[in-house]
Amino acid sequence: MLEVHGLSVAYGAIEAVKDVSFTVAEGQIVCLVGANGAGKTTTLRTISGLLRPSRGEIIFQGRPIHRLPAHEVLAAGIAHCPEGRRLFSGLTVEENLLLGAHLRRDRQIESDLARVYDLFPVLGERRTQRAGLFSGGEQQMVAIGRAMMARPKLVMFDEPTMGLSPIMIQRIMDTLALLRDQGTTILMVEQNALAALTLADHGHVVDLGRTTLQGPGEHLLADPRIREAYLG
Ligand code: ATP
């Protein structure tokens, strides 16, 4: 569904992504793991159309997308749930969710809202409260719901468990598995390599701007090099 070939991305003179290649098959959860500053967030922002690659290409459903502006990448079916959640804290939960549907003109927005509230009942119960009042885990639920409101074919999650309690991490991971089982393809970036590789169908290690090891999540978890570098 998504192919990234030989991607390089620079911030001025700093080449943050040097040579990243991976594919995401439809219906899978694919995870990029790696240390701080390895280039994972930069890779997702480039797929989203927020940054331009200096080399390489990004193909989504057979079509090159690396020169498209962000709104066209979203319209093509890729939603981005960014690091740090980036909610509008002064807007209500429901207003934040509806922002995820801002490019849509169809009549199913109400039923998709209901689907998000089914997934996360606490959001439905508190839909008129300001998002800034919610806990970190609840705000992550809003961010996931907002991404789903775009009806994406593929969703990218950047560090969805950052700063959350173990119970909430499990809840978020279970939700991602459910979304996959309901037909959404997922690309995620996580520093929590144990949780991410336990969930992922396939994983790629990003090291200093390059993809290195890759394989099914359970194979990477069992790899001594991964255990030493990322699992302590
Ligand atoms: P983290 O998990 O800490 O977010 P990451 O793997 O997502 O790490 P990136 O955020 O993509 O890594 O950063 C890759 C490199 O690019 C780092 O060296 C970082 O300092 C640098 N970088 C990121 N954003 C910018 C920016 N806006 N301007 C200049 N350098 C940047």
Side-chain angles (χ1 to χ4, degrees), residues 96-111:
N96 271 281
L97 292 174
L98 288 171
L99 283 173
H102 74 280
L103 287 182
R104 292 175 53 184
R105 295 286 173 270
D106 58 89
R107 293 166 187 274
Q108 274 132 33
I109 292 176
E110 283 298 322
S111 63

Side-chain angles (χ1 to χ4, degrees), residues 17 20 22 32-35 38-40 43 204-213 230:
V17 169
V20 162
F22 62 91
L32 306 180
V33 296
K40 308 179 299 296
T43 299
H204 295 264
V205 176
V206 184
D207 187 22
L208 298 176
R210 298 174 202 278
T211 32
T212 54
L213 300 172
Y230 304 110

Side-chain angles (χ1 to χ4, degrees), residues 9-12 14-17 33-45 51 83 158-159 162 189-191 206 209:
V9 191
Y11 298 103
I14 303 168
E15 200 173 46
V17 169
V33 296
N36 260 323
K40 308 179 299 296
T41 295
T42 302
T43 299
L44 295 195
R45 289 175 58 81
L51 297 170
E83 188 170 14
D158 195 342
E159 305 270 5
M162 187 162 39
V189 155
E190 258 297 342
Q191 293 217 22
V206 184

Side-chain angles (χ1 to χ4, degrees), residues 46-97:
T46 308
I47 295 169
S48 268
L50 298 168
L51 297 170
R52 289 275 162 261
S54 44
R55 282 194 305 277
E57 51 183 14
I58 303 169
I59 313 286
F60 181 60
Q61 296 191 308
R63 171 186 178 206
I65 59 163
H66 46 275
R67 291 192 194 87
L68 297 184
H71 67 274
E72 286 185 29
V73 174
L74 178 62
I78 301 182
H80 189 164
C81 185
E83 188 170 14
R85 310 187 252 278
R86 305 284 182 96
L87 300 180
F88 289 90
S89 57
L91 298 184
T92 67
V93 166
E94 187 147 306
E95 287 164 343
N96 271 281
L97 292 174

Side-chain angles (χ1 to χ4, degrees), residues 76-163:
I78 301 182
H80 189 164
C81 185
E83 188 170 14
R85 310 187 252 278
R86 305 284 182 96
L87 300 180
F88 289 90
S89 57
L91 298 184
T92 67
V93 166
E94 187 147 306
E95 287 164 343
N96 271 281
L97 292 174
L98 288 171
L99 283 173
H102 74 280
L103 287 182
R104 292 175 53 184
R105 295 286 173 270
D106 58 89
R107 293 166 187 274
Q108 274 132 33
I109 292 176
E110 283 298 322
S111 63
D112 284 353
L113 260 184
R115 186 176 162 225
V116 172
Y117 294 146
D118 269 351
L119 198 58
F120 301 119
V122 64
L123 301 188
E125 289 154 18
R126 300 174 60 186
R127 67 181 78 184
T128 59
Q129 293 182 20
R130 285 190 292 123
L133 300 172
F134 283 64
S135 73
E138 290 161 346
Q139 292 195 20
Q140 187 62 54
M141 295 175 190
V142 180
I144 294 172
R146 180 181 57 185
M148 296 312 296
M149 287 300 294
R151 283 221 167 177
K153 297 170 189 147
L154 182 140
V155 192
M156 302 193 294
F157 292 99
D158 195 342
E159 305 270 5
T161 70
M162 187 162 39

